[in-house]
Amino acid sequence: MQRIITRNAAAVQGNWQKQLAQAVSNPAQLLMQLGLEPEHFQKDIQARKLFPMRVPQAFIDRMQTGDANDPLLRQVLPAAHEFIEQAGFTSDPLGEHQSAVPGLLHKYRSRVLLILKGGCAVNCRYCFRRHFPYQDNQPGQDWSEAIAYIAARPEIDEVILSGGDPLMANDRHLAKLFAQLATLPQLQRVRIHTRLPVVIPARVTEELVDLLGSFAKPVVMVTHINHPNEIDEAFSQAMFKLKQAGVQLLNQGVLLRDVNDNADTLCALSNRLFEVGILPYYLFMLDRVAGASHFEVAQEQAIALIKQLYRRLPGYLVPRLSREEAGKSSKTPIDLQM
Ligand code: SF4
């Protein structure tokens, strides 16, 4: 039987930074919490050397006790498969490791990515940036070089805050950055790509809601959710506050083998997202990053799944199946007629 725990009062009010500091990094501890025997996972646990494990308690609380195949656990637990070297899977699948100026990536003509923080609240095993050299791309607290770069290029009208997870920056830091962004006359909108409110809903503080809601230009938040079980009551309430403040909410997910690669789960995800005020935006094919080949879903299967979604859902709840390719000027939509 599915066990989905809604947040308790303590977690709701808890300080998000404290929850972050107390994130579980020991796979054996995580397994024991879920009633699983760590000795059965010895080879898997060794994969933490390739990419550390990190998962906040509020996310663990949504996993099912005793289920080694829980779709949320699978996204965060190191796996022996990560040692498999698969042809075509590289450390830099999107050709991102060279940045224009420290902390800034200029991949698309009208948009730039600002890398605010090198870390995330959760380490997703399939992450395309699991080998990203964050230490060489830290802008620190001073945005002047990045802001000057944007100011000199009027064609850049959207700034995307990324990471790691940009909401790892505290509210004071974010307020300083937004004050600098406000000086850019060409700016049409700011977009925030984040998974932090999903794994720690308490990250949506009153200060953050006020900051985003009062910015002079529209703010879009793109959450990263792959499975309906990731959406609990605490997250729902956090999204409600952002929505009330005028933040546009979208979701992008990744199609992951044995996590969400079936039509029932994807339909449930779209419906659940809509219930909490978020529109499904993208469903990405896996980026072919070294260590994540066991998550890959074949393109033919992905297309068949999307076709099923079109039969079962209104069009606005079907995410765009796409992939990101190094050097391309935009995401590449997958042709559903293939
Ligand atoms: S939250 Fe996003 S950037 Fe961070 S580890 Fe997960 S997939 Fe990667």
Side-chain angles (χ1 to χ4, degrees):
M1 195 182 78
Q2 200 83 29
R3 182 186 71 108
I4 302 175
I5 296 179
T6 55
R7 71 176 175 177
N8 58 36
V12 173
Q13 290 152 17
N15 177 308
W16 69 272
Q17 285 158 313
K18 192 168 160 197
Q19 293 187 46
L20 194 59
Q22 293 172 345
V24 176
S25 57
N26 182 337
Q29 184 188 337
L30 170 62
L31 289 163
M32 284 189 293
Q33 258 203 64
L34 294 172
L36 298 165
E37 298 287 344
E39 10 338 336
H40 297 156
F41 297 83
Q42 284 310 323
K43 283 190 188 149
D44 298 301
I45 288 173
Q46 287 172 28
R48 69 191 290 199
K49 290 184 284 193
L50 300 175
F51 185 44
M53 193 193 86
R54 184 176 214 198
V55 52
Q57 187 61 45
F59 197 66
I60 299 171
D61 287 347
R62 293 166 235 171
M63 297 175 188
Q64 186 181 357
T65 302
D67 183 3
N69 297 315
D70 180 274
L72 276 57
L73 177 64
R74 193 168 153 74
Q75 294 179 56
V76 299
L77 186 69
H81 289 106
E82 295 175 36
F83 289 104
I84 297 172
E85 290 182 18
Q86 185 81 28
F89 284 75
T90 67
S91 63
D92 185 15
L94 302 184
E96 281 193 326
H97 290 192
Q98 296 296 324
S99 58
V101 301
L104 183 145
L105 294 173
H106 193 179
K107 295 201 285 189
Y108 307 132
R109 185 176 180 277
S110 62
R111 290 151 278 163
V112 289
L113 234 72
L114 287 187
I115 307 286
L116 260 68
K117 286 282 177 180
C120 291
V122 61
N123 282 351
C124 311
R125 306 312 297 177
Y126 52 84
C127 179
F128 70 101
R129 293 202 180 120
R130 56 184 278 163
H131 308 285
F132 189 81
Y134 286 115
Q135 65 285 358
D136 302 331
N137 284 280
Q138 293 283 4
Q141 305 286 318
D142 179 14
W143 297 100
S144 47
E145 204 180 341
I147 297 292
Y149 179 93
I150 302 167
R153 292 165 179 80
E155 70 274 15
I156 299 172
D157 62 10
E158 180 169 359
V159 171
I160 302 170
L161 308 186
S162 184
D165 196 308
L167 293 187
M168 292 285 276
N170 64 35
D171 293 335
R172 200 162 42 84
H173 186 181
L174 287 172
K176 271 192 205 165
L177 173 62
F178 272 77
Q180 287 181 273
L181 291 174
T183 66
L184 295 166
Q186 79 267 40
L187 194 69
Q188 295 292 328
R189 67 198 86 84
V190 176
R191 198 189 326 166
I192 302 172
H193 282 226
T194 181
R195 188 149 164 75
L196 216 165
V198 182
V199 296
I200 304 180
R203 175 63 190 95
V204 182
T205 60
E206 297 303 328
E207 292 77 14
L208 182 69
V209 173
D210 288 347
L211 176 69
L212 304 186
S214 63
F215 192 60
K217 297 290 167 61
V219 175
V220 181
M221 181 176 284
V222 183
T223 56
H224 171 180
I225 300 170
N226 303 314
H227 193 280
N229 291 5
E230 295 176 42
I231 299 174
D232 69 355
E233 181 56 25
F235 175 74
S236 163
Q237 288 179 23
M239 292 302 105
F240 180 71
K241 287 182 202 163
L242 287 169
K243 192 96 183 155
Q244 272 196 320
V247 177
Q248 177 73 51
L249 302 173
L250 304 172
N251 184 65
Q252 58 185 30
V254 183
L255 186 58
L256 300 166
R257 195 199 299 171
D258 295 335
V259 172
N260 59 7
D261 58 338
N262 65 82
D264 286 346
T265 299
L266 292 173
C267 280
L269 174 60
S270 280
N271 281 319
R272 195 74 187 102
L273 287 167
F274 189 70
E275 271 174 30
V276 302
I278 304 174
L279 280 178
Y281 175 34
Y282 276 122
L283 181 66
F284 284 116
M285 299 297 293
L286 182 80
D287 295 315
R288 307 191 95 200
V289 65
S293 62
H294 55 296
F295 283 111
E296 191 167 53
V297 175
Q299 185 159 304
E300 301 70 38
Q301 187 190 345
I303 291 170
L305 283 170
I306 291 295
K307 286 181 176 172
Q308 288 185 61
L309 295 196
Y310 272 113
R311 284 195 288 274
R312 292 172 58 172
L313 293 168
Y316 58 87
L317 290 187
V318 180
R320 298 169 210 180
L321 182 66
S322 304
R323 71 164 72 246
E324 208 166 343
E325 291 176 4
K328 288 277 175 76
S329 61
S330 65
K331 310 272 191 276
T332 307
I334 306 286
D335 181 0
L336 299 183
Q337 303 312 318
M338 280 176 68

